[in-house]
Structure formats: structure tokens, C-alpha cells
Amino acid sequence: MIILKYATSALAISMAIALAGCGNNSTQDAQSSNQTKKSASSKQDKTTLTINNGAEISSLDPHKTGGVPESSVARQQFVGLTTTDADGKLIAGMAESWESDDDITWTFKLRDAKWSNGDPVTAHDFVFSFQRMVDPKTAANFANFIADAKVLNANAIIEGKLPPQQVGVMAIDDKTLKITLSEPVPYFPQMLAYTAMRPVPRKVVEMLGDAWAKPGNIVVNGPYILKDWRVGEKMVFAKNPHYYDAKNVAIENLILLPIDSGPTDFSRYQAGEIDITFTDVPSDVLVSANKDEVKTSPSFCSYYYEMNVNKPPFDDVRVRRAMTLALDRDTIANKVAGRGEIPSYQMTPVVVSTNPKYTPEWQKLDQSARIAEAKRLLNEAGYDESNPLKFELLYNTSENHKKVAVAAQSLWQEALGFVKVTLVNQEWKAYLASRRNHEHQMARAAWCGDYDDPATFLNVMRTEGTGNYGNYSNKTYDALLKTSLTKSNDAERAKVYHELEAILDKDVPNVWVYYQVNARVVKPYVNGYSTQDALGNWQAKYWSIK
């Protein structure tokens, strides 16, 4: 663990804002000129594309994914019952068709498809995969996602009250799968496109156990398969000849890099070593890129600071509310992040359909009034100049996350005076472990929606919800969340979602910061890259090289 301490001064926030600014024009002109020279309109090797994936992944197993980097790898190797097109819209995956008369019992007809070892993909693989996901022995990070989807008995199995075999998934025959839910979920097909819902090869997993997901052993049903993994350097994927739509996969090889530094990412892009950057290139670096190569799209991602509500000082709601009141999120979104991010006052991003459109009362206050109320609450909680509030803010390695954390630290300390924030930086895997083990006080967090409905965000905050690493729990919230599925139309569900956002505003488990955007720099010879996918579910199978 690396602990970073910064002085409390106007200099810190001004430096963070300056980094996001325009900088020296002559330097930018030189960089832009250099970038133009480096960005050839064509690529000599049209068989291989190099993409920065942002971090070293924790697992190849789609049932043990930890975050965005793992999901990006899984999308290239595995296909679920449903999937998405280049613009993020739902399309058929392993299931050619599906139907339901009541949104409870769903029947899926599988297409003819094979695993990369030549074995057929069958309904029995999906039954095995659902059972494996909810089995406590698997320790799947997102097992609760299946419970959120209301798959029959999933919750009881996760809690160890029923055997995995009783999950509501059945193979009628090799090509017909029936999934039974405990209550209606109209958007269930959308949920099936999520990484954790993807199948694994039953025979291979039963034969090799956890070793099935190691390089050399892994068997996939998607367009690409891992051929080489040099930890800390690169992952190399080759086109899977057994993929059902292999004839339409134009790029033969993919190289994914684990670069967690935005400036390094862009520098290697300029040098011609990367064809598509990660989404983490800082705003001050993006200004030197060729504008035609910067691809920005809306995002179903909410960026926030998660507070551990069972650990001091954030076991006190007055402290939590003070932190959310005092943070100048407008400055952070517009001047520090500075790539088009939108300041946030609810969990659900504004681009999501059936939106709650919740506006907290305190949003109407100007910043000085918010700070005054924050100080009053902290004084009431026992904090002042003689007893300052002290806490650690954890973030994972990234120039953007660091820049935002430095700004938040400075804004809080300067606004409140008697607050001391220590920044703690950890690499991706250690950071995930710290949050999952609830070791943090406050942590940088983000939730990216898995389907176009507020439930994908609001489910996170239910008791023991997937991604609820701050240990927030409210029985009223949990009960109300369940009622959203009983509503007959989007307008009625939106009312429930509005009430849920109001509860979160009252309890303040998180400090909402901003809604993210996806901003990548893409070489002009990459054909088919879409800026319409707010889910960020990029799949290289849709691209080609000019």
C-alpha cells in the first residue's frame, strides 16, 4: 500500500484544476503536430489490434470477474444467452429466440454453437453455469446479480439454505432452456447480457476445477481465445475458429495491455504502440490529441465516494451528510475531470431510461450555505479545530482517480478547516480486496450499469447487494426495491425509483460526484468503433482495420 499525503492549501486544488486546463499553447501545438504525424491513416498489419485495458485483471473466469477490466476480457471470450450490438443495443447471443407470457417463466431456444474445443454449447452448460454462480463454494463476486434478477431460489442458495441444484434453471433438451423467476422482471433479457450470466463449459470445469480458467486450459464460446498472458505486460488473443459467427470477425488477433496510467497510455498511442486507449486518459492530455481521434460517448457509470457506514467516522450519518454537502462536485466535474462529466446528485445517471429524476433539497443551496450546514453537522458530531475529523480516502492507481482525489481532499479541507484527509493509493487487485473486506473508511467507487434501467444501480445499495462494499443496509429501502418489479409500467417504476433515491439521500451512504463519460483515443484506421454505446460494452468482433 502506498499512502500519499498532501498539504492543505489552495495550491493543491489550483494545481488539480490547472492540470485539467488548456496548458501552454505552443506545447499543445507541437504535441498535436507530433500526434498527426504518428497517426497514420492506415495500418500495415491489418491482422492485429492493440487495446489498452486499463489494469491487470484478477481472473479469466467470467464468474469471478472483479470489475471493468475483467468484463472487457470476458466479452471477447464468452457470449451469454443475449448480447449487445456495436451500439449497445440488445440482440440475440447463444439464444436465437426467447419468449415469456408473464415475465416470470422464460424459454430460450439456443442456436447451433460450439466451444473452442469443438464441443457443442448446450442448455446443460447454462444450467451448470447458473448453479455454479450461486453456489457459495464458487465465491462468485457477483452471485447476487442472479438474485437481483429474481431467478427462483437464487437468494436462498447463496445464503446456504438450499442446494445449487434448486436454482430455477432447467434444460428441457440440449437446445431449450427454461428459466423461472420468483416474480416478474420485464427487462430480464437485458440482464442476461451481463458478464456474470455468461456460460462456462461444464465438462471442462468439472474435469479441471478452477484450473480450467488458466492459460492453455481455458475453453470459450466467444469470438476470441487467450493464447498468451504475460502478467504486467500483455494478453494476446486469437480468433476462435469455432465461434458461431467467425466468418464475420475481421480482426485475427487482439493484444490487451494493462496500463493504468493515462499519460503513459496516450504516450504509447502517440508512438504507434496502441491503437485504442483506455477510457482514463486525463483531460489535460486529451487536449493534445487529434480531435477526430477522440471518441466520446455517454456512459451508464456513476462515480462516487463510498463510505463504510459500520466504521468510524462514517458510522455517523451527520458526518456522511457533511461530506456530501461540502464537496464542490461542480468544480470537480467541470474543471478537474473536465471531459464532459456531469455533476451528480442521485445514484442513477441521467442518461438511463425510466429515470428517477430526484433532486435533493440541499441541491438548491449555494456552496457557502452547504458548507455552513456541513460545519454545523460536524460540530454536532463532536468535531472542531481541537478535535478535527480525520479519515483515509482509498483509490486505485490512475492519474484521473488521483487527480479527483487530490481535488476532493483539498476542497473538503479548505471548506471545512478542521478536516484532515489522507489519500491511500492501491493497485487494482489490492484495492478490490480492501473494499470487499470492508477495510476502508472511504473509497473511490463507480458503478457502471449492466442494462438500461435504474434497477441496475439501485440494486447495488440493497443489503448485501453486489458492489455494496460500504455495508449500507436499510430494510425500508430493501422492501421498496422489491415493489418496483410489481409495477405495470415504466412511469410507476420511476416513482418507486424516485423514492429509493430519496432514501439514499436521507441515509447518505455515498458521496455522489459525477456521471462519467467514455472518452477513448482511436486510430483513424479502426473501422466500426461506435460512440453510441452508453454501456461501454465494446466488442472487437464488430471492428475491422482499414
Side-chain angles (χ1 to χ4, degrees):
M1 175 173 24
I2 301 172
I3 298 180
L4 303 173
K5 296 183 180 179
Y6 297 88
T8 304
S9 70
L11 180 61
I13 184 63
S14 62
M15 286 180 66
I17 294 174
L19 284 172
C22 294
N24 181 279
N25 288 336
S26 60
T27 301
Q28 286 179 39
D29 290 344
Q31 288 176 323
S32 295
S33 176
N34 184 50
Q35 167 63 12
T36 301
K37 292 175 183 176
K38 294 289 185 181
S39 294
S41 59
S42 63
K43 181 178 170 71
Q44 208 166 23
D45 179 6
K46 298 185 185 298
T47 66
T48 304
L49 198 70
T50 301
I51 306 158
N52 181 26
N53 198 39
E56 191 66 73
I57 69 168
S58 57
S59 177
L60 289 168
D61 190 331
H63 296 168
K64 297 187 178 183
T65 56
V68 172
E70 290 83 2
S71 292
S72 294
V73 169
R75 280 196 303 276
Q76 315 316 312
Q77 295 201 108
F78 297 93
V79 181
L81 291 167
T82 61
T83 185
T84 53
D85 66 12
D87 292 333
K89 299 186 184 302
L90 190 74
I91 60 172
M94 286 293 102
E96 284 187 315
S97 64
W98 55 88
E99 61 182 12
S100 177
D101 294 329
D102 55 8
D103 291 339
I104 294 177
T105 302
W106 296 81
T107 303
F108 297 85
K109 294 291 184 180
L110 272 58
R111 69 172 74 248
D112 290 330
K114 293 181 179 180
W115 292 102
S116 54
N117 64 357
D119 288 346
V121 178
T122 72
H124 304 285
D125 289 310
F126 281 94
V127 172
F128 173 80
S129 297
F130 274 88
Q131 291 177 355
R132 181 174 184 261
M133 267 294 291
V134 295
D135 189 342
K137 294 178 182 177
T138 303
N141 293 323
F142 294 105
N144 279 329
F145 189 85
I146 294 183
D148 291 342
K150 307 303 177 185
V151 176
L152 188 65
N153 294 330
N155 202 55
I157 296 167
I158 292 168
E159 293 175 351
K161 298 176 182 178
L162 289 175
Q165 292 73 20
Q166 290 194 33
V167 72
V169 185
M170 177 188 301
I172 304 301
D173 54 44
D174 283 353
K175 295 296 181 183
T176 309
L177 185 74
K178 183 172 82 170
I179 301 180
T180 305
L181 311 183
S182 59
E183 51 194 286
V185 181
Y187 47 81
F188 183 64
Q190 290 177 282
M191 298 187 76
L192 291 171
Y194 181 55
T195 306
M197 298 293 215
R198 297 174 191 231
V200 296
R202 178 175 60 89
K203 292 179 182 178
V204 178
V205 178
E206 287 179 337
M207 180 172 62
L208 299 177
D210 285 343
W212 85 275
K214 292 185 177 180
N217 293 342
I218 194 162
V219 172
V220 306
N221 71 331
Y224 294 96
I225 182 168
L226 181 72
K227 290 299 182 183
D228 185 28
W229 185 2
R230 301 178 192 177
V231 175
E233 183 182 346
K234 64 180 179 180
M235 303 178 78
V236 180
F237 300 81
K239 182 176 174 179
N240 172 16
H242 289 292
Y243 174 55
Y244 74 89
D245 196 29
K247 65 181 181 181
N248 290 317
V249 177
I251 299 173
E252 295 288 332
N253 306 293
L254 299 179
I255 298 175
L256 267 60
L257 306 180
I259 302 169
D260 58 19
S261 165
T264 301
D265 185 7
F266 185 64
S267 177
R268 292 185 63 176
Y269 175 91
Q270 286 182 304
E273 299 172 12
I274 291 175
D275 300 309
I276 299 177
T277 69
F278 190 55
T279 61
D280 210 25
V281 178
S283 56
D284 56 300
V285 175
L286 278 180
V287 297
S288 64
N290 185 320
K291 291 182 179 180
D292 292 337
E293 295 173 22
V294 178
K295 307 297 182 182
T296 303
S297 59
S299 174
F300 284 176
C301 289
S302 185
Y303 192 103
Y304 53 94
Y305 286 129
E306 168 188 84
M307 293 173 281
N308 190 335
V309 301
N310 290 340
K311 194 171 186 177
F314 299 118
D315 54 347
D316 189 329
V317 68
R318 294 170 297 186
V319 177
R320 300 199 300 270
R321 180 161 296 282
M323 291 300 99
T324 204
L325 283 167
L327 185 69
D328 186 351
R329 50 188 49 74
D330 286 0
T331 292
I332 289 180
N334 299 324
K335 296 183 179 180
V336 179
R339 301 180 305 170
E341 288 82 355
I342 301 171
S344 58
Y345 294 87
Q346 63 174 25
M347 186 174 192
T348 309
V350 292
V351 296
V352 176
S353 301
T354 322
N355 205 277
K357 298 180 180 178
Y358 179 76
T359 302
E361 284 297 318
W362 58 267
Q363 185 179 345
K364 301 172 185 176
L365 302 176
D366 62 26
Q367 196 60 32
S368 61
R370 294 179 193 178
I371 291 169
E373 176 63 8
K375 286 182 177 179
R376 186 192 70 78
L377 288 168
L378 290 177
N379 290 158
E380 189 178 285
Y383 298 101
D384 53 27
E385 286 77 5
S386 62
N387 181 36
L389 173 68
K390 300 177 182 179
F391 64 89
E392 292 183 347
L393 168 54
L394 171 68
Y395 69 95
N396 59 295
T397 302
S398 156
E399 291 300 319
N400 271 339
H401 299 329
K402 176 182 176 180
K403 186 168 66 173
V404 173
V406 170
Q409 176 199 45
S410 185
L411 287 165
W412 273 323
Q413 291 182 163
E414 291 184 18
L416 298 171
F418 48 89
V419 172
K420 295 183 179 180
V421 185
T422 300
L423 302 186
V424 180
N425 169 233
Q426 292 180 339
E427 298 300 319
W428 178 249
K429 293 180 183 179
Y431 155 84
L432 285 178
S434 293
R435 288 182 62 209
R436 287 177 186 150
N437 295 330
H438 314 295
E439 296 168 357
H440 62 293
Q441 291 177 297
M442 177 185 283
R444 194 286 309 179
W447 189 262
C448 296
D450 309 304
Y451 49 95
D452 187 10
D453 191 273
T456 190
F457 294 92
L458 299 172
N459 276 329
V460 175
M461 301 313 301
R462 70 178 179 83
T463 302
E464 298 183 356
T466 299
N468 181 4
Y469 300 132
N471 276 327
Y472 173 68
S473 178
N474 181 314
K475 291 181 179 179
T476 301
Y477 182 94
D478 295 346
L480 182 61
L481 181 63
K482 290 180 180 180
T483 70
S484 66
L485 295 172
T486 67
K487 303 305 176 183
S488 58
N489 56 60
D490 289 350
E492 290 299 314
R493 287 213 317 281
K495 291 179 182 178
V496 175
Y497 295 149
H498 187 275
E499 293 180 56
L500 290 168
E501 292 282 8
I503 293 174
L504 293 180
D505 179 47
K506 177 176 176 290
D507 292 348
V508 206
N510 304 309
V511 177
W512 313 126
V513 183
Y514 57 70
Y515 305 127
Q516 297 177 229
V517 293
N518 283 323
R520 295 179 186 265
V521 192
V522 181
K523 292 292 186 182
Y525 48 71
V526 177
N527 190 46
Y529 185 91
S530 174
T531 58
Q532 303 304 308
D533 180 13
L535 288 167
N537 287 344
W538 68 268
Q539 298 179 69
K541 69 179 182 180
Y542 295 127
W543 303 337
S544 61
I545 299 172
K546 297 177 186 176

